[in-house]
Amino acid sequence: MSTGRKLRYGILGTGLIFGKFADAFRLTSEASLMAVASRDAERARAAGAKHGVPRAHSGYESLVSDPEIDVVINALHNGLHCEWTVRALEAGKHVLCEKPLGCSSAEVEKMFAAAHASRRWLMEGFMHRFHPQIAEAKRIIVTGGIGRVLHIRCHRTARGRDRDNPRYWRDAGGGALMDIGCYCVNLSRFLVGSEPKRVAAHAHFDNQTGVDLTLSGCLQFGEGVTANLLCSMEGEPSYPAEIVGTDAKLLIPHPWLPPAWPAELYLTRQGKTDVIRVEPDDMPQHPLAPFALEVNYFCRCVRENRAPQFPPDVDAEHDSRANMRVIEALLESAREGRTVNMPTGSA
Ligand SMILES: NC(=O)c1ccc[n+]([C@@H]2O[C@H](COP(=O)([O-])OP(=O)(O)OC[C@H]3O[C@@H](n4cnc5c(N)ncnc54)[C@H](OP(=O)(O)O)[C@@H]3O)[C@@H](O)[C@H]2O)c1
């Protein structure tokens, strides 16, 4: 793969996230969206035509074996992340796979084993990480801007999809925690900067499908630091994250995908609130810029043959593993009605 030319991406799937990526690719400087694949040939053709994607593949195998593609974005439902990520890696592609990386720790292990065996890079697609407001929030915290962190509160709730959507399939990584609570787990762990020692959760499970429609969880970190998260696919949308410290509190109203630039953070100290405005320094001020920043970052990792890192000094592989372990523990707690200690060594 030559340095300097744009990397050629292909996307598996024509769902909601395909459309967002297709629009975001117009903002990227390092990649071109060359192909899309669907189970259905006509759906692939229509999606490609609508978004100006040159090649439409009938079937996922056709795209992962396309020699003109360098990187595959796995935008299929969660139940197909492991299978098609492994198949793309085995076909020699680098893979940016949508969150959550797999449906279980076992799947995540299998996916990274395939990446190592094929000497290709695999990264979980958490686009919120690439919005500069997240780096700014972390900077404020680690430089003592709110004192010692006591507690994080993190919400991501949304209205449900049609009941036939894979989000309601229990054996295919369905449920609110897998779908959107995974963001809250990721952000809490990132902002605290360590792994929880134990977790507890309560959930409203769907009678028919068994998936968690709403889940409220508590992560207990060391030294008394806690995080409460709320995720739901049956509620009024609610997004904020708030970090309470001994000296001040920091509110991130839209931690996942702010609707506009500049993004705003609110830092409150002794009743006085300062607004911190965050803008991208190398990207048009478009709401989908975090997706483009994510793609550009992955391109640099591929070109320079270096591991994606998140947080900046930790291999993203470690982060994906740790995130899935916490998700599994929260679900175990909610299903069994008890606090779950995290395995030693995960902290
Ligand atoms: N980062 C973000 O902001 C964000 C936002 C939304 C979703 N996501 C993630 O992106 C992935 C896709 O989500 P989505 O909302 O775009 O689509 P979705 O409705 O969750 O998933 C459907 C996708 O899977 C494919 N598929 C294969 N077999 C299927 C089956 N039996 N039934 C239904 N669909 C099937 C469909 O593609 P074809 O029918 O064309 O083959 C379609 O693209 C998920 O992992 C989700 O977590 C991320």
Side-chain angles (χ1 to χ4, degrees):
M1 194 169 304
S2 66
T3 308
R5 76 165 164 80
K6 287 188 173 189
L7 293 185
R8 301 160 302 182
Y9 278 61
I11 301 187
L12 300 174
T14 53
L16 173 82
I17 195 64
F18 160 75
K20 289 189 178 173
F21 267 115
D23 289 343
F25 265 89
R26 298 183 205 291
L27 309 171
T28 65
S29 51
E30 312 209 13
S32 305
L33 180 56
M34 298 300 294
V36 57
S38 170
R39 294 168 292 169
D40 179 87
E42 174 51 25
R43 197 156 49 241
R45 193 205 57 73
K50 181 175 177 191
H51 291 279
V53 182
R55 296 232 276 272
H57 287 276
S58 173
Y60 309 142
E61 180 58 43
S62 172
L63 187 148
V64 301
S65 57
D66 182 341
E68 302 289 307
I69 295 297
D70 306 307
V71 181
V72 168
I73 295 179
N74 186 338
L76 302 173
H77 70 71
N78 300 348
L80 294 178
H81 284 187
C82 182
E83 177 186 352
W84 283 99
T85 293
V86 168
R87 289 175 76 159
L89 289 163
E90 287 175 349
K93 311 303 184 197
H94 304 277
V95 180
L96 173 56
C97 179
E98 264 307 325
K99 41 50 66 175
L101 192 61
C103 299
S104 64
S105 288
E107 285 196 353
V108 169
E109 292 308 320
K110 197 172 168 188
M111 293 159 87
F112 281 116
H116 291 297
S118 62
R119 296 176 165 273
R120 293 294 182 270
W121 296 113
L122 165 62
M123 187 172 88
E124 185 172 12
F126 272 126
M127 82 299 175
H128 71 280
R129 300 167 173 179
F130 296 91
H131 194 296
Q133 69 170 350
I134 299 300
E136 177 61 11
K138 181 75 175 177
R139 189 196 64 74
I140 291 168
I141 291 169
V142 299
T143 56
I146 63 168
R148 183 166 56 82
V149 173
L150 300 173
H151 181 74
I152 294 178
R153 153 179 93 84
C154 227
H155 286 193
R156 186 155 184 177
T157 66
R159 294 273 176 223
R161 301 285 187 104
D162 294 341
R163 296 288 294 195
D164 60 355
N165 188 273
R167 285 168 176 78
Y168 295 90
W169 301 348
R170 181 171 168 180
D171 295 336
L177 181 60
M178 282 285 190
D179 185 31
I180 47 184
C182 60
Y183 289 102
C184 303
V185 173
N186 197 265
L187 185 63
S188 302
R189 293 176 40 255
F190 173 66
L191 293 177
V192 174
S194 66
E195 299 300 333
K197 294 183 180 309
R198 63 190 67 81
V199 309
H202 296 279
H204 171 215
F205 290 105
D206 185 40
N207 285 338
Q208 290 169 345
T209 62
V211 302
D212 53 307
L213 296 172
T214 297
L215 183 140
S216 164
C218 180
L219 312 183
Q220 300 173 43
F221 296 87
E223 298 172 11
V225 180
T226 53
N228 276 353
L229 60 90
L230 175 70
C231 55
S232 177
M233 42 194 226
E234 58 180 349
E236 180 71 12
S238 175
Y239 302 121
E242 187 173 46
I243 308 96
V244 179
T246 49
D247 299 344
K249 65 180 180 180
L250 181 67
L251 174 67
I252 315 175
H254 292 282
W256 320 119
L257 201 60
W261 296 90
E264 293 187 340
L265 308 179
Y266 297 90
L267 182 62
T268 303
R269 185 187 305 270
Q270 296 183 345
K272 180 178 172 298
T273 299
D274 290 323
V275 181
I276 298 156
R277 295 191 170 81
V278 185
E279 300 183 20
D281 51 11
D282 58 349
M283 181 64 55
Q285 297 198 11
H286 189 285
L288 295 175
F291 287 97
L293 291 165
E294 175 181 62
V295 166
N296 281 352
Y297 175 76
F298 195 52
C299 286
R300 291 196 289 277
C301 292
V302 167
R303 280 212 182 86
E304 296 162 20
N305 195 28
R306 62 179 167 88
Q309 296 202 311
F310 184 84
D313 54 350
V314 174
D315 280 0
E317 174 174 345
H318 168 84
D319 184 67
S320 292
R321 285 198 167 99
N323 217 59
M324 184 53 74
R325 278 198 295 263
V326 175
I327 289 170
E328 287 178 325
L330 284 165
L331 280 173
E332 184 182 335
S333 173
R335 291 198 190 284
E336 299 185 7
R338 62 182 176 83
T339 297
V340 172
N341 291 318
M342 297 304 295
T344 320
S346 66

